[in-house]
Amino acid sequence: MNETAAASAAEEATRGRDAATDPVLVGEGVQRSYGDVVALDGVDLRVEAGEVFGLIGPNGAGKTTLVRALTGTTDAEGDLRVFGAPPPEVDPQRIGLLPQSFDPPERLTATELVEYYGGLYDDARDVESVLRDVGMADDADAWYETLSGGQQRRTCVATAVVNDPDLLFLDEPTTGIDPAGRRSIHRLIERLADGGTTVFLTSHAMDEVERLADRVALLRDGAVVAVGPPGDLIAEHGGAPRLDVTLDGGASEEVAERIEAGLAGGVAVESTRDGLRVSGVRPEAIGDAVDALDVAFESLAWSEPSLEDVYLRLTGEEYSPREGTLEEALRDGGDR
């Protein structure tokens, strides 16, 4: 090989390595408004190849608008790139999308429905294997309209993965699905990610996101307020482990203060509707904490913080969307 050819080969190899490490999704300063309502307020986002990326946030926070911007179905200001290109320029053969609201033709069987969507792509997967992946093999010949809500949702998931996408958007994929069906969908998502598919998952099921996502972004009022691996977010924002004590008749603040004074430092006690909550109790200290309570109790429940605690802490248990909500903007002719 001469020097020119060798240099060309080396340059091509370098480009290949760079492409393999480039992020699949990039958003910088993404903004979108509907009239006076700001749906996205300077969102910065980066999703790596093969990553399961979770997006969580309250209703009206801008999640669906962000997904639509990333898939090129709504305009947005700022820098948006998918596979290095603006979303409208991306080959749709590489994308799979399951929207939160999806109403396919009802007078088709599950098999016919997946075959229809598979026919939109040049190289679709075998329909029978896709239905088996989502747990619909036994009901493949049933009309869509006769399926239960969970079975319909599983069939919809099948339509989103029939093209074996490089990038898969799933918006509330397991809504209405029973525990066994949810497990099938979770295993499918894990297999797809292991095979190199990048998954962008939006869900209100915090346990689902915590289990599946490599990283999570929490969106509130159109802005990302936290992003990172679930474990890191829980450690930073989830609070301390807690011991919930159910008492007959509850407990007053005075009782809680008296008990807290008798416990080791770093432990906080507060009264709840059903009794007491003791925060900061490690598993090995549960016995000592119970001894120090010095009250008759009906039950004890110890738990570690979870992604749900992060969500509630960063959004507020009684979250109220901005004045001039997205719902109002939609009624005036916008999209979500």
Side-chain angles (χ1 to χ4, degrees):
M1 181 182 295
N2 60 40
E3 291 184 6
T4 302
S8 177
E11 183 179 350
E12 183 66 29
T14 299
R15 282 200 301 268
R17 287 194 300 271
D18 290 343
T21 58
D22 284 345
V24 169
L25 293 174
V26 174
E28 296 177 353
V30 181
Q31 301 183 51
R32 180 67 162 98
S33 297
Y34 302 106
D36 294 332
V37 178
V38 178
L40 299 175
D41 190 13
V43 170
D44 293 329
L45 208 61
R46 180 186 176 100
V47 180
E48 306 296 340
E51 185 175 30
V52 179
F53 189 89
L55 181 68
I56 60 176
N59 293 328
K63 301 186 300 299
T64 302
T65 299
L66 179 58
V67 170
R68 289 186 173 182
L70 291 169
T71 54
T73 55
T74 193
D75 295 329
E77 299 178 6
D79 185 13
L80 271 172
R81 284 166 283 152
V82 179
F83 297 119
E89 298 178 10
V90 177
D91 182 0
Q93 303 275 339
R94 304 186 67 183
I95 306 294
L97 171 63
L98 175 68
Q100 184 175 358
S101 179
F102 184 46
D103 298 310
E106 295 187 340
R107 297 291 287 183
L108 295 178
T109 67
T111 296
E112 291 169 339
L113 192 58
V114 180
E115 284 178 342
Y116 169 76
Y117 282 96
L120 301 176
Y121 302 99
D122 296 333
D123 189 21
R125 290 183 55 196
D126 175 67
V127 171
E128 187 175 322
S129 68
V130 174
L131 288 170
R132 187 166 53 248
D133 282 345
V134 298
M136 284 298 296
D138 293 340
D139 299 285
D141 296 325
W143 283 350
Y144 184 83
E145 67 179 356
T146 67
L147 298 174
S148 69
Q151 290 172 323
Q152 289 181 347
R153 195 60 176 167
R154 281 188 268 170
T155 303
C156 293
V157 172
T159 67
V161 301
V162 68
N163 61 319
D164 193 18
D166 296 322
L167 172 60
L168 176 61
F169 290 91
L170 296 173
D171 195 349
E172 301 290 346
T174 60
T175 298
I177 298 180
D178 61 30
R182 288 184 76 219
R183 187 170 296 179
S184 294
I185 300 302
H186 291 172
R187 286 197 295 259
L188 173 61
I189 292 171
E190 290 167 342
R191 287 199 303 271
L192 289 171
D194 288 342
T197 300
T198 304
V199 181
F200 194 96
L201 171 68
T202 303
S203 178
H204 282 113
M206 295 299 106
D207 60 328
E208 179 171 87
V209 178
E210 186 174 340
R211 169 183 170 172
L212 295 173
D214 298 301
R215 288 189 303 131
V216 180
L218 193 149
L219 198 66
R220 175 173 178 172
D221 290 345
V224 174
V225 296
V227 63
D232 291 357
L233 294 181
I234 292 168
E236 183 175 357
H237 304 288
R242 58 179 179 261
L243 184 68
D244 287 305
V245 184
T246 302
L247 305 175
D248 184 13
S252 66
E253 289 292 342
E254 290 76 14
V255 170
E257 292 173 0
R258 175 179 60 79
I259 293 174
E260 181 175 344
L263 293 172
V267 175
V269 181
E270 60 179 314
S271 62
T272 65
R273 183 178 61 182
D274 299 319
L276 297 167
R277 172 166 293 172
V278 187
S279 301
V281 178
R282 302 303 308 171
E284 62 274 12
I286 292 176
D288 293 338
V290 172
D291 291 340
L293 289 177
D294 192 28
V295 291
F297 57 85
E298 295 183 354
S299 65
L300 300 170
W302 181 85
S303 60
E304 291 186 290
S306 66
L307 191 61
E308 182 172 320
D309 294 299
V310 175
Y311 176 95
L312 294 175
R313 178 163 295 200
L314 294 181
T315 65
E317 292 189 52
E318 301 298 331
Y319 175 74
S320 297
R322 296 154 287 186
E323 292 187 11
T325 64
L326 285 181
E327 285 76 9
E328 293 171 351
L330 298 178
R331 286 197 296 271
D332 292 336
D335 61 1
R336 281 185 82 177

